[in-house]
Amino acid sequence: MTGRPVRIGVLGCADIAVRKVLPAIAALPGADVAAVASRDADRAGRVAERYGCAAVGGYERLLRRDDVDAVYVPLPAALRPAWVERALRAGKHVLAEKPVTTRAADTAALADLAGSSGLVLMENIMFLHHGAHARLRRLVEDGAIGEPRCLEAAFAIPPRPADDIRYRPDLGGGALLDVGVYPLRAAQFLLGPRWEVLGAGLLRDPGRGVDTAGAVLLRNPAGVTAQLTFGMVHSYRSAYTLWGSEGRLHLDRAFTPPPDHRPAARLERSDGRRDLELDAEDQCAATVRAFADAVRAQGPGPWDRWPRDSVALARLLDEVRRAARRADGPPEPTYRSV
């Protein structure tokens, strides 16, 4: 495929696709928007018209197109496993919204399918492709804060409109799968993939049947702990702090910075505080670029670890849910006074 742009089709006209990913694909020299599919043909037509590409009624028809090399799957979490599998079986590389599936076993099966088919499977966690995080990780590895002791991370957003799919349990809604993945994945990226869940709590909205907030306590094999908070009934917060034996590293606007935002990071040690100069980056564009580069490469590269990383995250999500169920415990007995 070297020498021509990667032709990407989009399965669905989700908000994130229309606002962020489609413009990023169209702006990238190494990629083209080849087709947009929707179950609503008129909607597909309106979106496709902006990019001069084919409008397709139905996802299956898009997967049969010979002019599509890869697909982006922004469908709700409960629908993604089936369509990611169909795309891989149709010979298409896949960029899938996060998490790839709602269960570790399903994510592992798709990772195996992608590997055996020689196809790229990438989970769309954009902050991983912003250079600020790699720089902070290098500082930790170089001993800037001494021995790591604790990670504190939070990602929370204000309540969404009442009809938002995040509130629909049948579509895989809930805070853990929507915003909880960010601090969990940050822990894995910054301090390694292996974590034990010491405790977890999920706040459920009984009227909607989904979790709207949560907190998790983790420990890795080195004894480092991670205290993570997330939710969608909060004022906005997106930050993490790495705390070590000799200092602390802090990053604001960690997970969803605008493209022109210069990340505000600081290093605090006993000998003083230093504000770190970090570059503004468009992490959505960087994500799409990494995906297109992997598709064009058609050989070994850093993308080989992407499916393994997705499986590790999915297993951690499973463990968090199990820990939260244990924390809920059986109902308290009711006693009558005598």
Side-chain angles (χ1 to χ4, degrees):
M1 193 173 296
T2 303
R4 66 168 173 80
V6 177
R7 301 168 298 181
I8 301 176
V10 179
L11 299 187
C13 300
D15 179 65
I16 190 172
V18 174
R19 285 191 304 110
K20 291 188 175 183
V21 178
L22 274 164
I25 296 171
L28 184 66
D32 284 334
V33 180
V36 174
S38 174
R39 290 171 295 183
D40 181 339
D42 290 339
R43 189 177 186 192
R46 291 192 299 271
V47 175
E49 186 177 8
R50 303 179 203 173
Y51 299 99
C53 69
V56 181
Y59 309 142
E60 195 67 55
R61 289 182 58 197
L62 186 146
L63 295 180
R64 292 198 296 265
R65 293 181 67 97
D66 293 332
D67 61 347
V68 170
D69 305 309
V71 295
Y72 168 52
V73 184
L75 300 172
L79 304 182
R80 280 197 287 273
W83 286 105
V84 170
E85 179 179 0
R86 290 176 186 176
L88 292 171
R89 294 195 183 281
K92 312 299 185 187
H93 305 276
V94 176
L95 171 62
E97 265 311 315
K98 47 75 186 161
V100 175
T101 82
T102 60
R103 298 190 319 129
D106 293 336
T107 301
L110 293 175
D112 288 344
L113 176 60
S116 63
S117 304
L119 296 168
V120 175
L121 175 59
M122 181 181 186
E123 188 170 36
N124 190 27
I125 303 180
M126 296 182 190
F127 82 88
L128 298 173
H129 300 274
H130 194 299
H133 308 285
R135 180 172 175 188
L136 295 192
R137 183 171 66 179
R138 286 194 298 272
L139 284 170
V140 173
E141 292 169 348
D142 291 342
I145 61 171
E147 291 292 326
R149 297 288 188 246
C150 178
L151 168 70
E152 299 168 351
F155 187 44
I157 60 175
R160 312 304 299 166
D163 60 350
D164 195 285
I165 64 169
R166 294 170 179 85
Y167 297 131
R168 290 188 52 179
D170 59 317
L171 294 180
L176 176 62
L177 294 183
D178 187 67
V179 291
V181 296
Y182 290 87
L184 287 166
R185 188 65 186 90
Q188 292 179 318
F189 178 81
L190 294 166
L191 295 165
R194 295 175 55 202
W195 292 90
E196 174 190 3
V197 180
L198 299 179
L202 296 175
L203 175 66
R204 297 192 66 81
D205 182 328
R208 294 188 171 109
V210 299
D211 55 288
T212 56
V216 180
L217 178 62
L218 307 175
R219 180 176 59 199
N220 73 6
V224 180
T225 57
Q227 302 174 49
L228 315 177
T229 307
F230 53 89
M232 48 191 191
V233 287
H234 303 62
S235 61
Y236 179 83
R237 181 162 173 75
S238 174
Y240 62 72
T241 300
L242 285 155
W243 191 357
S245 59
E246 298 176 21
R248 293 189 301 173
L249 268 171
H250 180 79
L251 179 66
D252 279 319
R253 299 294 294 271
F255 301 120
T256 55
D260 59 352
H261 173 72
R262 290 181 63 90
R266 64 179 181 269
L267 172 61
E268 299 173 350
R269 294 170 52 94
S270 60
D271 56 359
R273 165 177 162 167
R274 179 161 62 99
D275 293 326
L276 305 176
E277 294 185 4
L278 303 175
D279 294 331
E281 294 184 31
D282 185 337
Q283 63 186 32
C284 182
T287 300
V288 172
R289 185 184 310 113
F291 177 65
D293 288 348
V295 171
R296 277 198 307 274
Q298 294 184 323
W303 42 84
D304 292 341
R305 72 171 187 270
W306 292 345
R308 296 195 299 272
D309 291 343
S310 296
V311 173
L313 175 60
R315 287 174 176 158
L316 188 54
L317 287 166
D318 278 4
E319 287 298 320
V320 169
R321 280 189 291 254
R322 281 192 282 268
R325 286 195 294 269
R326 290 194 298 270
D328 287 341
E332 289 293 327
T334 302
Y335 297 98
R336 293 178 59 189
S337 60
V338 294

